[in-house]
């Protein structure tokens, strides 16, 4: 190498090596040998929808880091707006605009469940007004589930004041098993205990209409290659 070439090489060497390193890392990302997916999900959507897909994705791409931000639907939408997550799996009702792409993935049913202390109610065809005189166990007010049930009851002039307001549906089930009140949950959470008759569903003259879990994406943001691949895996099952 000439003197001029040696002088030039001393300046470009570090930059060239950095460029090659970047090219190698980019190739790894494109081949899903590295990368990260950031998902927003509630306890419910994680447990009753997402978990099997995450297991399959990890088997296919074990080097991809998956971060799950656990939060209620309104907070998950806020995380999506702020770019903290790639997409969310949430439950209706949704207060969103046209910038979001929404794909519904499964239906869910809200129910009221109770334990042995309230066995006298089993088989009765109740009016929702009866809930005003019963001790209720509900989710906290900042969740789509609580908003949906409250609005449904208010449309029927039923106004309830829960005895307990809890952060998770799993805790509602535990309180109901201990006869601390009537639990308001999505039926999936109580399924095993309903089948073995530890809990039972209260019957009403009309059921609360079913609602949906949804995959939600901000169309104005850019997804990582890994996030796009997981989204494709989820959508193949729609």
């Amino acid at each position: 190498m000439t003197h001029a070439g040696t002088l030039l090489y001393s300046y470009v060497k570090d930059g060239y090596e950095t460029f090659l390193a970047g090219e190698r890392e980019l190739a790894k990302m494109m081949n899903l040998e590295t990368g990260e997916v950031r998902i927003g999900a509630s306890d419910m959507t994680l447990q009753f929808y997402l978990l099997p897909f995450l297991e399959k994705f990890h088997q296919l791409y074990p080097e991809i880091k998956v971060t799950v931000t656990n939060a209620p639907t309104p907070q998950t939408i806020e995380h999506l707006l702020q770019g903290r997550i790639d997409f969310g799996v949430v439950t209706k009702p949704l207060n969103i605009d046209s910038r979001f792409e929404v794909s519904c993935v499964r239906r869910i049913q809200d129910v009221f469940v109770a334990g042995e202390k309230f066995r006298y109610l089993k088989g009765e065809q109740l009016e929702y007004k009866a809930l005003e005189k019963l001790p209720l166990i509900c989710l906290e007010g900042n969740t789509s589930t609580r908003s949906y049930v409250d609005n449904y009851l208010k449309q029927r002039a039923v106004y309830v004041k829960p005895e307990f307001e809890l952060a998770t549906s799993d805790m509602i089930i535990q309180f109901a098993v201990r006869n601390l009140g009537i639990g308001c949950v999505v039926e999936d959470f109580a399924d095993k205990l309903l089948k073995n008759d530890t809990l039972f569903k209260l019957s009403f003259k009309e059921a609360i209409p079913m609602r949906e879990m949804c995959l939600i994406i901000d169309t104005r943001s850019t997804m990582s290659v890994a996030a796009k691949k997981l989204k494709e895996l989820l959508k193949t099952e729609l």
Side-chain angles (χ1 to χ4, degrees), residues 216-232:
I216 182 170
I217 298 161
D218 185 346
T219 57
R220 300 182 194 179
S221 63
T222 303
M223 274 191 188
S224 67
V225 176
K228 288 179 180 177
K229 184 59 68 173
L230 177 55
K231 185 187 81 169
E232 288 172 11

Side-chain angles (χ1 to χ4, degrees), residues 160-174:
V160 296
K161 294 182 180 179
E163 196 88 1
F164 299 97
E165 294 181 304
L166 305 176
T168 68
S169 294
D170 282 327
M171 287 303 301
I172 291 176
I173 294 300
Q174 293 306 312

Side-chain angles (χ1 to χ4, degrees), residues 138-156:
C138 299
L139 285 173
E140 295 170 339
N142 64 334
T143 65
S144 60
T145 295
R146 177 67 184 277
S147 297
Y148 182 72
V149 173
D150 278 357
N151 287 336
Y152 178 80
L153 294 177
K154 286 175 183 176
Q155 288 170 11
R156 283 148 186 79

Side-chain angles (χ1 to χ4, degrees), residues 95-163:
N95 184 22
I96 55 174
D97 58 36
S98 58
R99 71 184 290 181
F100 293 99
E101 175 189 316
V102 179
S103 305
C104 294
V105 295
R106 64 159 296 189
R107 303 182 78 196
I108 53 177
Q109 178 70 60
D110 297 280
V111 296
F112 290 90
V113 298
E116 193 61 36
K117 179 180 177 181
F118 302 94
R119 188 69 62 173
Y120 65 93
L121 294 171
K122 187 172 183 180
E124 295 287 328
Q125 286 290 310
L126 302 172
E127 299 282 356
Y128 283 105
K129 200 73 176 172
L131 294 173
E132 293 181 339
K133 297 180 180 179
L134 292 170
L136 296 184
I137 312 164
C138 299
L139 285 173
E140 295 170 339
N142 64 334
T143 65
S144 60
T145 295
R146 177 67 184 277
S147 297
Y148 182 72
V149 173
D150 278 357
N151 287 336
Y152 178 80
L153 294 177
K154 286 175 183 176
Q155 288 170 11
R156 283 148 186 79
V158 177
Y159 301 92
V160 296
K161 294 182 180 179
E163 196 88 1

Side-chain angles (χ1 to χ4, degrees), residues 35 51 63 84 110 164 172 178 235:
L51 208 52
E63 303 304 318
R84 296 178 183 172
D110 297 280
F164 299 97
I172 291 176
R178 287 163 176 75
K235 286 204 158 190

